[in-house]
Amino acid sequence: MQRKSKTRERILLAAKKLFSIKGFDGVSMEEIANEAGVKKALIYYYFPSKEDLFFEVWQRSIDEMEHAVLKPIQNEGPFMAKLKKLLRSYIDFVRSRRETLQLIERERINIESRQSTLWEKLGERYSEFVERIAQLVKEGKLAAELASDLDETVTAQFIVGSLSSVDKNQLEEVANLILKSLTKKE
Amino acid sequence: MQRKSKTRERILLAAKKLFSIKGFDGVSMEEIANEAGVKKALIYYYFPSKEDLFFEVWQRSIDEMEHAVLKPIQNEGPFMAKLKKLLRSYIDFVRSRRETLQLIERERINIESRQSTLWEKLGERYSEFVERIAQLVKEGKLAAELASDLDETVTAQFIVGSLSSVDKNQLEEVANLILKSLTKKE
DNA sequence: GGTAAAATTTACCGAACGGTCAGTAAAATA
DNA sequence: TATTTTACTGACCGTTCGGTAAATTTTACC
């Protein structure tokens, strides 16, 4: 029972690593098995298919990101403090969990362009995350700290998108740009 | 001679379409052939390999983007006019050339994580594009229209990244956010 | 220590992959 | 008209793919 979950975990870790580097279609089950130090058939003992394996990797990655980014701001008080904390924790996440971020960034587009119902669920899971940030933006508008004509979802996409696409060494600069763009002119 | 280039073009167009939807590893040569209305073997008459086919699709796509985004600002005068024109032309590009943008966004990460010399060239071609926008930022700093402590490359990545990652219907809002974040406080 | 269940490996399958090649039809050249 | 070049096809090759079934080893429990 203990051994079982340990092997399963090793497979998930190996899969996540390789998926993040080469993408879903670029990785074979044999590669994943080798990375995990296991024979290919054993993967099928724990996971019904390559897709199912990827699904679990994806869900876990989004959970991980959501936890790292959203959890720290939950008990924060005033809106501006929350926003700054969000940027801070997002920067920390990008810096410390490169593999997770790369997996998400890489497969996000891929997921959107597959039409199967199962894959769509994965896309929705990601949208949920963005929408939670959009909720924060809404909060800021209600508190009159952000301009009332801001579209919440677009603003959330803007925050995530800009922080995900720049060099990891200068994320603070981007966070400042975001802050400056969002705060009301006085 | 005329027929030859027409077929070649059809193959390139079909490949671009499929690569942009499914990615390099997600598309087979047979699919591309079907999309182009051609037998698979004929593709190898025009292109030595799948990689070579992709290389040409990629180079053309970057050229297309560079032309659409950078050409309009070449003969523009003052810096702020140039910057606004850049945002305008980038928005138009995102709206009208979705396939091209999706190909670039999708394969950019993929290209970076392949270590072969040939693939690295493709990555450099993209970096060139970003660096050209960075040059514009530098211009703005010299003209004292932008804060002097802005990192040019990061700012360029910020502009491209944020405009590439939001819903196409509200790009103007993002352009305004970018403008607000970059212009000096008065 | 025997034994049943769980965990892992070996051996294999049909399909699909990227790529090749001999040959043919159609055009261009002479 | 004869000949060379260009455009294109179908059949096929070796390999790798995702996935399965059966045999073997390891573990847990009495």
Side-chain angles (χ1 to χ4, degrees):
Chain A
M1 196 76 96
Q2 205 168 14
R3 181 151 188 76
K4 161 162 180 167
S5 55
K6 222 172 191 171
T7 304
R8 218 183 107 98
E9 216 60 30
R10 288 228 317 285
I11 294 171
L12 280 164
L13 241 52
K16 182 182 172 185
K17 176 178 176 182
L18 293 178
F19 282 147
S20 78
I21 297 173
K22 303 189 177 197
F24 179 78
D25 290 312
V27 175
S28 73
M29 293 299 263
E30 194 123 16
E31 285 180 275
I32 295 173
N34 289 340
E35 178 74 29
V38 138
K39 301 295 170 185
K40 186 181 61 161
L42 188 57
I43 300 183
Y44 287 93
Y45 177 73
Y46 290 104
F47 304 92
S49 69
K50 188 185 181 185
E51 284 197 349
D52 284 271
L53 173 57
F54 178 78
F55 290 171
E56 190 158 336
V57 169
W58 176 261
Q59 303 283 13
R60 280 177 173 230
S61 297
I62 303 282
D63 287 347
E64 183 188 337
M65 174 172 70
E66 205 163 80
H67 183 271
V69 174
L70 259 26
K71 203 68 181 283
I73 70 165
Q74 244 170 19
N75 291 346
E76 205 74 25
F79 168 75
M80 279 314 278
K82 266 190 183 172
L83 179 59
K84 283 174 184 169
K85 190 99 180 180
L86 175 88
L87 295 174
R88 174 78 264 152
S89 57
Y90 199 92
I91 288 175
D92 291 342
F93 169 72
V94 172
R95 285 230 176 86
S96 64
R97 304 294 209 350
R98 298 254 301 172
E99 197 177 284
T100 309
L101 180 75
Q102 185 161 337
L103 177 92
I104 294 169
E105 282 295 301
R106 179 189 256 287
E107 296 305 312
R108 194 167 42 101
I109 314 175
N110 200 9
I111 283 169
E112 279 164 17
S113 55
R114 309 212 185 211
Q115 55 254 47
S116 131
T117 321
L118 288 133
W119 285 91
E120 278 169 12
K121 287 272 177 215
L122 302 200
E124 286 167 23
R125 182 70 190 83
Y126 176 80
S127 300
E128 263 177 55
F129 167 72
V130 175
E131 220 43 48
R132 248 156 242 182
I133 296 182
Q135 273 305 111
L136 181 72
V137 174
K138 189 175 184 177
E139 216 178 286
K141 283 166 65 176
L142 287 173
E145 301 258 24
L146 298 184
S148 59
D149 60 344
L150 278 182
D151 181 289
E152 291 137 23
T153 302
V154 170
T155 307
Q157 290 170 344
F158 169 70
I159 293 172
V160 174
S162 50
L163 279 176
S164 303
S165 56
V166 302
D167 189 275
K168 67 174 162 60
N169 294 319
Q170 277 129 314
L171 288 163
E172 280 82 3
E173 186 174 326
V174 177
N176 285 334
L177 288 175
I178 294 173
L179 266 177
K180 194 173 164 197
S181 73
L182 293 184
T183 48
K184 276 178 152 174
K185 274 185 182 131
E186 61 234 51
Chain B
M1 196 78 97
Q2 208 169 10
R3 181 150 188 73
K4 158 162 179 166
S5 54
K6 221 173 192 171
T7 305
R8 218 184 108 96
E9 215 62 30
R10 287 228 319 286
I11 294 171
L12 280 165
L13 241 54
K16 182 181 173 186
K17 176 178 176 182
L18 293 179
F19 282 146
S20 79
I21 298 173
K22 304 191 176 195
F24 179 78
D25 290 313
V27 175
S28 73
M29 292 299 265
E30 194 122 17
E31 285 180 275
I32 295 173
N34 289 340
E35 178 72 30
V38 139
K39 301 295 170 184
K40 186 180 63 160
L42 188 59
I43 301 183
Y44 287 93
Y45 176 74
Y46 289 105
F47 304 92
S49 71
K50 190 186 182 185
E51 284 198 349
D52 285 272
L53 172 58
F54 178 78
F55 290 172
E56 189 158 338
V57 169
W58 176 260
Q59 302 282 14
R60 278 176 175 231
S61 298
I62 303 284
D63 287 347
E64 182 188 338
M65 176 171 68
E66 205 163 78
H67 184 271
V69 174
L70 259 26
K71 204 66 181 281
I73 69 165
Q74 246 170 18
N75 291 345
E76 206 75 22
F79 168 75
M80 278 315 276
K82 266 189 182 173
L83 178 60
K84 283 176 183 167
K85 190 96 179 185
L86 175 89
L87 295 174
R88 174 79 264 152
S89 57
Y90 199 91
I91 288 175
D92 291 344
F93 169 71
V94 172
R95 285 228 176 87
S96 64
R97 304 294 216 338
R98 298 257 297 173
E99 198 177 284
T100 309
L101 179 76
Q102 186 159 337
L103 177 92
I104 294 168
E105 283 296 300
R106 177 191 257 287
E107 296 304 314
R108 194 167 42 99
I109 313 173
N110 199 13
I111 283 170
E112 280 163 17
S113 56
R114 310 216 183 207
Q115 56 255 44
S116 133
T117 320
L118 289 133
W119 285 90
E120 279 169 10
K121 287 271 175 214
L122 303 199
E124 287 167 21
R125 182 71 191 82
Y126 176 80
S127 300
E128 262 177 55
F129 167 73
V130 176
E131 222 41 50
R132 248 156 241 181
I133 295 181
Q135 273 305 111
L136 181 72
V137 175
K138 189 174 185 179
E139 215 178 288
K141 283 166 65 176
L142 287 174
E145 300 259 23
L146 297 184
S148 59
D149 60 344
L150 279 181
D151 181 289
E152 290 136 26
T153 302
V154 169
T155 307
Q157 288 171 345
F158 169 69
I159 293 171
V160 174
S162 52
L163 279 175
S164 303
S165 57
V166 303
D167 190 275
K168 66 174 161 59
N169 295 319
Q170 276 130 314
L171 288 164
E172 280 82 2
E173 187 174 326
V174 177
N176 285 332
L177 289 175
I178 293 173
L179 266 178
K180 194 174 163 197
S181 72
L182 293 183
T183 48
K184 277 179 152 172
K185 273 184 182 133
E186 62 234 49

